[in-house]
Amino acid sequence: MAFHAPLTNHHADGTLCPADHKHTSSGKPLHDDCSGRAYAQAVCSCGWEMKQPGKGYVAECRKRHLASHAQGPKVLRDLLRLDAS
């Protein structure tokens, strides 16, 4: 099963900030109709969730989390091999 955790930007009122709205690294809007990015959020299809003001931090945690899904079955296989020996 392939897991996915899209990274989204949100305004202070909780509404989704469209992907075509650009921001500075601090979240200030570069689009006239945008109130700015208040937080970034990633929600995995497994239920894991990360919500923080720093987009870079959320992106890094998202990558680590998705990588943990890829490692899961390998770790289990390795443990089973050790028990069978």
Side-chain angles (χ1 to χ4, degrees):
M1 173 182 200
F3 291 95
H4 59 279
L7 180 68
T8 54
N9 295 316
H10 297 266
H11 300 127
D13 63 0
T15 59
L16 186 65
C17 186
D20 63 335
H21 286 189
K22 302 299 178 196
H23 309 91
T24 64
S25 60
S26 65
K28 292 181 183 176
L30 295 174
H31 191 276
D32 293 337
D33 298 331
C34 185
S35 60
R37 179 182 67 235
Y39 62 91
Q41 182 176 21
V43 179
C44 184
S45 54
C46 77
W48 174 88
E49 184 176 337
M50 168 66 73
K51 177 177 155 180
Q52 293 287 323
K55 182 179 178 181
Y57 180 68
V58 175
E60 182 62 31
C61 290
R62 175 186 166 275
K63 285 182 191 176
R64 287 184 190 163
H65 174 75
L66 290 173
S68 73
H69 284 301
Q71 294 173 356
K74 181 186 180 318
V75 171
L76 290 175
R77 281 194 306 272
D78 290 347
L79 286 172
L80 291 172
R81 278 190 209 123
L82 290 174
D83 290 343
S85 300

